[in-house]
């Protein structure tokens, strides 16, 4: 049955469905309990599942991830929330040195079915310690998977798959998209990790975009359509494992590629995708791959500055036109 | 104190096993047969042996970079351990972890760990799992004095206290954080004093006296099993070697080293056994001989084992992604 749902509700429905199905799934993090999470994403879950399974932690990011590692290695399937993606830095050791590596380092003796949920992204005037997009820092680490839904249906389906996965999955939710409504069919179930989605089919240029940038790409495509340029937009949905085949098939058709993310452009994850396209599909390309990202500055606070920092539809339009 | 002769024998057997394993590891490292870093547990045997003598097979431990003793005391297989030190395919981690990363999920050994203090926060998750599954298992978290200055120590003890988790935090105060004596890395003398900050009991015992360790930790483990929450147990001991093999430990005063060697836990125990414990010298020697044979067998197993194949290098990163790891 289809209904309209916010992105936030999609995440919550995903978590709740997973928790109803498996008593070993638990949610913990700062203020996720009675308060319902800083952004209200887990609102009502404390009432449904109780204080044992929906647990408030002290403000201790490192312990939150370490706790998830220990819990996952001994039989739970924790969903650990790090309130802001920026705060992942406080727990980076636990995420990168323990969650990500211990399966390999123990030769598979231990495994870590756990989800790290975290709110990334800018656009709400939260300044540089509450707005970052750190996809590159996460995807750089072997042993982690990462998903980043751009709508409520994907938020729901990717959560189901993330919880069911036997590996640590970082689940990024964009804080500026939480109230964004879209149509959801809860009967559709899990969306496999590593499977992208053609959000808009087209024939002239391939635009790979994640998170909130999917919506900027859609707006750009509308503008470009008036010029007679037909954009194909791909939302990989999972950053690792990445659906490169979908991108390659699209570029075989369009021969042009633009990659867009909200990270600062320098060293961003989309640089990796751009490199993969150039390395593997050079002969199909009619123009160099173009990366679009944020300015290489900390995220500014002022409403006058933040929009200048962020990449937008206009940037995408310009980039497509520049490819000729 | 000693309840009975079998118990004494078991305690001594474990301590001797650790001593023999570590002495062999020391020599094999010096011979160039063991690569990488090796942090030996020599001098601290009474701690792991005493604490783990109170544990069941289904209880858990988290360990440290200096973890061989904990793993042996929790029932780890000497052959698989030694093979891992050699980097062989038959090792506990298939040669992917080495000395600092041995784990055995079937025996509740949730890993040694190369990050100082990492086990503290991992233990909170193990504790949470026990709490939610409503069993009477416990988790013992071993760590050194140096790690008590890490943020994980504070975060984890606080979390364990506020959630009333079934964890026993065992600080092996061996006097040094790498090259820094305790007096230069923290102002306090007793790490156990820090328990006050978390509203949990903190106790100190002689870490070179296996009976004292056994008795003190038994009380803490009982509390945890009964759902009364975590305890911080500090065992005062001494790291007889450098931080790692190859470290000449020039920072250790000679007199201090000599004084502690006189309090060697194995010497103390074997002397007690023959003087007061009702063991003959021959009985003690029989245990020593048994252990020598076990460790010799482990070394042979390690030496005879194959190295991992190149193909195995991309396995175990993920449960379900193998070849793709090579490239994208």
């Amino acid at each position: 049955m289809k209904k309209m749902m916010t992105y936030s509700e999609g995440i919550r429905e995903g978590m709740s469905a997973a928790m109803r199905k498996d008593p070993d799934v638990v949610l913990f993090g700062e203020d996720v309990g009675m308060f319902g999470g800083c952004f209200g994403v887990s609102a009502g879950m404390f009432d449904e599942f109780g204080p044992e399974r929906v647990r408030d932690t002290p403000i201790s990011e490192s312990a939150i991830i370490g706790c998830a590692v220990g819990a996952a290695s001994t039989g739970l399937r924790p969903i650990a929330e790090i309130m802001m993606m920026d705060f992942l830095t406080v727990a980076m050791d636990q995420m990168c040195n323990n969650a990500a590596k211990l399966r390999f380092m123990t030769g598979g003796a231990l495994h870590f079915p756990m989800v790290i949920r975290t709110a990334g992204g800018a656009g709400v005037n939260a300044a540089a310690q509450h707005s970052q997009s750190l996809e590159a820092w996460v995807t750089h680490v072997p042993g982690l998977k990462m998903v980043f839904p751009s709508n409520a249906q994907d938020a729901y389906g990717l959560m189901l798959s993330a919880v069911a996965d036997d590996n640590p999955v970082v689940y990024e939710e964009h804080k500026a998209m939480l109230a964004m409504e879209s149509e959801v069919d809860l009967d559709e179930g899990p969306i496999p990790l590593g499977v992208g989605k053609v959000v808009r089919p087209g024939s002239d240029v391939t635009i790979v975009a994640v998170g909130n940038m999917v919506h900027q790409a859609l707006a750009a495509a509308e503008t470009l359509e008036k010029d007679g340029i037909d954009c194909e937009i791909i939302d990989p949905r999972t950053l690792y494992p990445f659906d490169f085949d979908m991108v390659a098939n699209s570029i075989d058709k369009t021969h042009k590629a633009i990659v867009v993310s909200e990270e600062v452009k320098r060293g961003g994850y989309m640089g990796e995708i751009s490199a993969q396209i150039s390395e593997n599909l050079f002969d199909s390309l009619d123009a160099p791959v173009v990366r679009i990202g944020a300015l290489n500055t900390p995220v500014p606070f002022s409403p006058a500055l933040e929009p200048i920092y962020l990449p937008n539809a206009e940037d995408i339009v310009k980039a497509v036109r520049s490819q000729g | 104190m000693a309840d009975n002769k079998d118990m004494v024998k078991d305690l001594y057997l474990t301590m001797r096993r650790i001593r023999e394993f570590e002495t062999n590891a020391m020599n094999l490292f010096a011979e160039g047969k063991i690569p990488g870093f090796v942090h030996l547990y020599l001098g601290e045997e009474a701690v792991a042996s005493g604490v783990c003598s109170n544990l069941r097979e289904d209880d858990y431990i988290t360990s440290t970079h200096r973890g061989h003793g904990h793993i042996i005391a929790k029932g780890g297989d000497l052959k698989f351990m030694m093979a891992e030190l050699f980097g062989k395919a038959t090792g506990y981690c298939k040669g992917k972890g080495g000395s600092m990363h041995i784990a055995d999920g079937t025996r509740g050994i949730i890993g040694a760990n190369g990050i100082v203090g990492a086990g503290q926060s991992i233990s909170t998750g193990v504790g949470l799992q026990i709490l939610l599954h409503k069993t009477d298992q416990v988790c013992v978290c071993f760590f050194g004095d140096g790690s008590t200055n890490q943020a994980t120590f504070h975060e984890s003890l606080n979390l364990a206290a506020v959630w009333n988790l079934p964890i026993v935090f065992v600080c092996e105060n061996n006097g040094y954080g790498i090259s820094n004596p305790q007096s230069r890395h923290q102002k306090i003398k007793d790490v156990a004093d820090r328990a006050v900050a978390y509203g949990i009991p903190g106790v100190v015992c002689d870490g070179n006296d296996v009976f004292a360790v056994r008795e003190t930790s038994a009380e803490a483990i009982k509390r945890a099993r009964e759902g009364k929450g975590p305890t911080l147990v500090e065992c005062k001991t001494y790291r007889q070697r450098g931080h790692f093999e190859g470290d000449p430990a020039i920072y250790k005063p000679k007199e201090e080293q000599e004084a502690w060697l006189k309090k060697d836990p194995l010497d103390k125990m074997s002397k007690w056994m023959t003087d007061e414990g009702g063991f003959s010298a021959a009985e003690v020697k029989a245990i020593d001989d048994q252990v020598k044979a076990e460790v010799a067998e482990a070394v042979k197993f390690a030496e005879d084992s194959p190295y991992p194949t190149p193909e195995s290098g991309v396995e175990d990163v993920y449960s379900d992604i193998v070849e793709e790891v090579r490239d994208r």
Side-chain angles (χ1 to χ4, degrees):
Chain A
M1 195 186 69
K2 291 185 178 180
K3 60 175 174 177
M4 294 302 283
M5 203 176 264
T6 63
Y7 183 75
S8 177
E9 285 165 342
I11 300 166
R12 185 191 312 143
E13 280 304 317
M15 289 194 288
S16 298
M19 288 183 71
R20 283 176 206 127
K21 192 175 152 202
D22 182 351
D24 284 333
V25 180
V26 297
L27 169 67
F28 53 80
E30 293 157 14
D31 311 294
V32 300
M34 201 174 285
F35 188 61
C38 177
F39 296 107
V41 174
S42 54
M45 291 179 67
F46 180 85
D47 293 331
E48 179 174 354
F49 301 103
E52 290 291 296
R53 293 177 69 199
V54 179
R55 304 179 79 91
D56 285 324
T57 65
I59 303 169
S60 302
E61 283 86 6
S62 178
I64 292 169
I65 303 303
C67 183
V69 169
S73 66
T74 55
L76 294 179
R77 302 187 85 87
I79 303 170
E81 181 182 312
I82 297 296
M83 188 187 284
M84 306 281 177
M85 192 168 212
D86 317 73
F87 310 162
L88 270 184
T89 56
V90 185
M92 211 66 173
D93 171 53
Q94 288 299 332
M95 182 174 82
C96 300
N97 282 325
N98 289 313
K101 292 189 177 68
L102 289 184
R103 178 187 181 87
F104 181 81
M105 296 189 89
T106 63
L110 302 177
H111 70 133
F112 302 89
M114 54 184 273
V115 178
I116 300 171
R117 271 182 59 218
T118 191
V124 297
N125 307 115
Q129 293 172 342
H130 289 70
S131 299
Q132 293 172 85
S133 293
L134 302 176
E135 291 90 285
W137 291 11
V138 175
T139 53
H140 184 61
V141 184
L144 299 176
K145 296 185 180 182
M146 184 177 191
V147 300
F148 189 5
S150 67
N151 58 72
Q153 182 78 56
D154 291 352
Y156 173 73
L158 289 171
M159 179 57 77
L160 294 178
S161 293
V163 174
D165 202 273
D166 282 337
N167 304 280
V169 181
V170 176
Y171 183 106
E172 182 178 357
E173 40 203 65
H174 197 297
K175 66 177 77 67
M177 290 170 57
L178 291 168
M180 193 183 279
E181 284 199 318
S182 54
E183 198 174 63
V184 176
D185 183 353
L186 293 179
D187 296 332
E188 275 192 24
I191 293 168
L193 303 189
V195 178
K197 186 180 173 189
V198 177
V199 176
R200 182 190 192 280
S203 54
D204 296 332
V205 57
T206 300
I207 302 173
V208 182
V210 286
N212 213 8
M213 289 301 115
V214 172
H215 304 284
Q216 295 298 320
L218 283 165
E222 266 186 47
T223 305
L224 290 161
E225 195 175 12
K226 290 170 199 149
D227 296 359
I229 299 172
D230 188 17
C231 302
E232 176 146 301
I233 300 172
I234 292 177
D235 175 1
R237 304 191 288 193
T238 308
L239 302 189
Y240 189 84
F242 186 80
D243 192 348
F244 191 76
D245 290 343
M246 181 174 280
V247 173
N249 289 337
S250 176
I251 293 171
D252 275 348
K253 183 173 62 179
T254 64
H255 308 291
K256 284 177 195 157
I258 309 268
V259 294
V260 196
S261 89
E262 200 186 304
E263 303 161 279
V264 295
K265 186 173 170 184
R266 184 174 68 227
Y269 177 70
M270 279 302 170
E272 167 65 24
I273 300 308
S274 167
Q276 287 186 24
I277 294 169
S278 299
E279 268 180 30
N280 295 292
L281 307 171
F282 187 76
D283 292 341
S284 315
L285 291 170
D286 286 345
V289 182
V290 177
R291 289 172 299 149
I292 297 175
L295 296 186
N296 293 317
T297 69
V299 186
F301 161 69
S302 171
L305 294 175
E306 196 178 30
I308 298 168
Y309 161 88
L310 281 169
N312 59 27
E314 204 181 320
D315 297 324
I316 300 170
V317 168
K318 275 187 202 154
V320 170
R321 285 181 179 150
S322 77
Q323 283 188 325
Chain B
M1 279 306 291
D3 306 309
N4 61 58
K5 208 170 164 181
D6 282 347
M7 184 272 284
V8 174
K9 189 186 161 185
D10 284 347
L11 285 172
Y12 179 71
L13 181 66
T14 306
M15 289 169 71
R16 180 54 69 187
R17 243 182 217 138
I18 299 170
R19 175 64 55 96
E20 185 68 19
F21 185 91
E22 295 295 66
T23 306
N24 272 266
M26 178 176 77
N27 294 333
L28 291 161
F29 181 84
E31 289 168 31
K33 289 186 177 169
I34 293 177
F37 292 115
V38 178
H39 306 79
L40 297 179
Y41 199 65
L42 290 169
E44 307 179 31
E45 294 90 343
V47 180
S49 306
V51 171
C52 292
S53 71
N54 296 304
L55 294 181
R56 304 190 313 231
E57 195 166 325
D58 68 343
D59 288 326
Y60 297 96
I61 63 164
T62 62
S63 175
T64 70
H65 59 288
R66 198 177 303 290
H68 305 164
H70 310 137
I71 292 153
I72 292 172
K74 190 64 177 63
D77 188 301
L78 302 183
K79 294 196 297 299
F80 304 150
M81 287 181 69
M82 193 58 89
E84 188 58 37
L85 265 59
F86 275 69
K88 296 296 183 74
T90 54
Y92 259 121
C93 316
K94 305 178 193 166
K96 290 173 187 169
S99 161
M100 285 187 275
H101 303 285
I102 296 172
D104 183 348
T106 66
R107 287 187 167 88
I109 300 167
I110 309 305
N113 203 300
I115 304 292
V116 169
Q120 293 155 355
S121 43
I122 292 173
S123 76
T124 64
V126 179
L128 176 63
Q129 179 272 129
I130 296 169
L131 193 76
L132 294 187
H133 285 153
K134 299 183 173 26
T135 69
D136 67 346
Q137 290 158 290
V138 299
C139 180
V140 169
C141 171
F142 290 103
F143 51 88
D145 51 299
S147 78
T148 64
N149 302 323
Q150 285 277 36
T152 49
F153 176 81
H154 171 66
E155 293 192 14
S156 307
L157 270 74
N158 182 60
L159 182 66
V162 80
W163 283 1
N164 205 42
L165 298 176
I167 302 173
V168 178
F169 292 100
V170 176
C171 176
E172 301 174 316
N173 185 345
N174 66 14
Y176 285 89
I178 308 182
S179 71
N180 271 286
Q182 191 196 1
S183 61
R184 283 205 285 130
H185 75 63
Q186 55 194 196
K187 206 72 163 155
I188 52 171
K189 284 199 168 62
D190 292 337
V191 170
D193 287 352
R194 292 196 171 166
V196 175
Y198 309 108
I200 64 173
V203 288
V204 181
C205 70
D206 178 353
N208 280 24
D209 178 345
V210 72
F211 297 126
V213 173
R214 177 175 156 89
E215 197 174 294
T216 307
S217 59
E219 183 61 30
I221 289 167
K222 184 165 174 281
R223 278 192 81 240
R225 243 189 245 301
E226 289 172 353
K228 292 176 185 165
T231 304
L232 173 58
V233 176
E234 177 182 6
C235 304
K236 305 275 194 190
T237 182
Y238 192 69
R239 195 187 74 203
Q240 292 183 356
R241 303 287 298 170
H243 173 62
F244 47 76
E245 283 311 283
D247 164 13
I250 50 168
Y251 45 83
K252 287 207 281 187
K254 204 171 157 228
E255 311 74 53
E256 176 191 277
Q257 172 86 4
E258 282 167 2
W260 275 98
L261 287 179
K262 282 185 189 138
K263 295 190 274 187
D264 180 84
L266 265 295
D267 291 350
K268 192 170 177 166
M269 179 65 163
S270 55
K271 186 171 175 347
W272 183 89
M273 286 165 76
T274 49
D275 289 359
E276 299 176 49
F279 283 78
S280 67
E283 281 176 304
V284 175
K285 185 172 180 300
I287 299 171
D288 295 355
D289 290 345
Q290 177 199 327
V291 166
K292 272 200 174 68
E294 285 174 8
V295 175
E297 190 196 346
V299 173
K300 187 171 184 323
F301 175 81
E303 285 181 327
D304 292 349
S305 289
Y307 280 106
T309 61
E311 293 73 34
S312 72
V314 291
E315 292 166 0
D316 299 316
V317 182
Y318 297 93
S319 65
D320 54 353
I321 304 173
V322 182
E323 281 304 310
E324 294 89 332
V325 174
R326 286 187 199 282
D327 194 343
R328 60 177 190 261

